[in-house]
Amino acid sequence: MKESTLQKLLDSESVVVLTGAGISAASGVPTFRGADGLWKNYRPEELANYQAFIRNPELVWGWYSWRRDLIKKVNPNGAHVALVYFERILNNFFIVTQNVDNLHQRSGSKNVIELHGNIMHSKCIDCENIYFDEKTYNKELPHCKHCNSLIRPAVVWFGESLPLDALKESQKLAANCQVFLSVGTSAVVEPAASLPFIARERGAYVIEINKDETPLTPYADEFIGESVEEYLPELVHHLKTLNLK
Ligand code: NAD
Ligand code: ZN
């Protein structure tokens, strides 16, 4: 990253980072589109939707139980930790995440907006009562204690709307930030994919960090084709050096 960009980050009145599955890949959480995204030969798109759950709730619940167990065993990596430092030194720093793994919060970030829910929470498909306790989600296939309907993971599935408050808040943050970073996301899942474009239209400097190019790449002011777990800690090091000057 150019020194002028580092200075821009330090001088910005507001910085927003959009994160995706790529930031948790080094922790051992498979991305959906990566080579290890499959479970029992199912593609995530075949399981992460309401119709699939109604058709075969045991199968979909089983997949989520497997993912919850996996996520509970892993730890945040250097990229998550770097963003905790960002929050400490940058002005009005916010993370908008498409991840459901809770790893930003576990690493210590405070300003986190979850666009796609949290895999550790569950909710009733009818009365929408939310269950935060582990006892509920560790059961084979739990039923709601209020209305006895099925309980599903409290995440946003393909074809579903995002929580309106979280979406509005992130659109507002994107529209008002001066630097927008897109980190480890394939930039194709809407409406999150539009956030860097909202920022860009309003004059923000858009930086993309992804090991592969994405549909956003041609529109980014700067593209950094590296692994986030290697690059973000380096960036922290440079910011610290510059901040001390
Ligand atoms: P994605 O799987 O579509 O894309 C991940 C992106 O990260 C890809 O562009 C890939 O090139 C990049 N990437 C992978 N490893 C990287 C690394 N080490 N460094 C830099 N870049 C790396 O994920 P998405 O765009 O976030 O969207 C898919 C949806 O799946 C999301 O809505 C999310 O809710 C869900 N999801 C969440 C998790 C999680 O919570 N950890 C994991 C898988 C999927
Ligand atoms: Zn209920």
Side-chain angles (χ1 to χ4, degrees):
M1 190 176 284
K2 292 177 264 177
E3 187 163 323
S4 59
T5 312
L6 293 168
Q7 197 60 52
K8 216 187 275 286
L9 271 169
L10 290 171
D11 294 342
S12 281
E13 270 160 38
S14 173
V15 177
V16 173
V17 50
L18 172 69
T19 65
I23 198 168
S24 298
S27 291
V29 185
T31 63
F32 275 5
R33 292 170 186 80
D36 51 358
L38 291 181
W39 177 75
K40 294 188 179 174
N41 288 327
Y42 290 96
R43 281 183 292 116
E45 294 86 336
E46 294 176 277
L47 300 167
N49 71 78
Y50 187 75
Q51 288 73 21
F53 182 66
I54 295 303
R55 224 173 16 242
N56 194 343
E58 286 84 4
L59 175 75
V60 174
W61 189 260
W63 179 53
Y64 276 94
S65 299
W66 173 78
R67 291 187 65 211
R68 276 188 292 262
D69 286 345
L70 185 149
I71 287 168
K72 278 203 297 191
K73 283 186 204 130
V74 307
N75 292 310
N77 64 63
H80 297 103
V81 175
L83 296 187
V84 179
Y85 179 78
F86 275 38
E87 186 171 272
R88 209 177 311 143
I89 65 154
L90 302 181
N91 300 317
N92 297 310
F93 178 76
F94 291 88
I95 296 172
V96 177
T97 189
Q98 299 165 88
N99 294 343
V100 296
D101 58 26
N102 212 29
L103 289 179
H104 287 302
Q105 293 91 331
R106 274 178 55 197
S107 64
S109 288
K110 298 277 183 288
N111 295 342
V112 183
I113 296 173
E114 287 174 327
L115 283 181
H116 292 168
N118 188 314
I119 198 169
M120 298 301 165
H121 303 157
S122 312
K123 71 176 178 194
C124 170
I125 60 165
D126 282 324
C127 75
E128 301 202 336
N129 186 62
I130 301 271
Y131 292 86
F132 296 102
D133 57 299
E134 287 197 16
K135 275 193 244 84
T136 306
Y137 69 65
N138 274 338
K139 281 196 197 138
E140 280 296 291
L141 182 65
H143 289 79
C144 179
K145 65 181 178 193
H146 302 294
C147 70
N148 206 35
S149 289
L150 284 172
I151 290 176
R152 57 168 280 181
V155 299
V156 177
W157 278 334
F158 289 103
E160 293 183 329
S161 321
L162 273 64
L164 199 60
D165 287 353
L167 179 61
K168 283 208 166 131
E169 176 72 3
S170 51
Q171 287 169 335
K172 203 165 108 191
L173 289 168
N176 292 307
C177 70
Q178 290 170 342
V179 177
F180 186 100
L181 293 115
S182 176
V183 170
T185 172
S186 55
V188 291
V189 182
E190 286 294 356
S194 293
L195 293 172
F197 290 92
I198 294 176
R200 188 174 177 266
E201 263 165 42
R202 295 287 293 261
Y205 191 79
V206 176
I207 304 165
E208 180 181 37
I209 309 170
N210 194 311
K211 65 184 172 70
D212 301 310
E213 292 194 6
T214 73
L216 172 67
T217 310
Y219 303 94
D221 293 294
E222 232 171 291
F223 170 71
I224 293 151
E226 291 196 38
S227 295
V228 288
E229 67 278 9
E230 282 165 24
Y231 188 75
L232 285 180
E234 269 174 39
L235 191 56
V236 164
H237 174 73
H238 293 310
L239 283 172
K240 275 184 179 164
T241 316
L242 202 64
N243 208 19
L244 291 176
K245 272 188 192 167

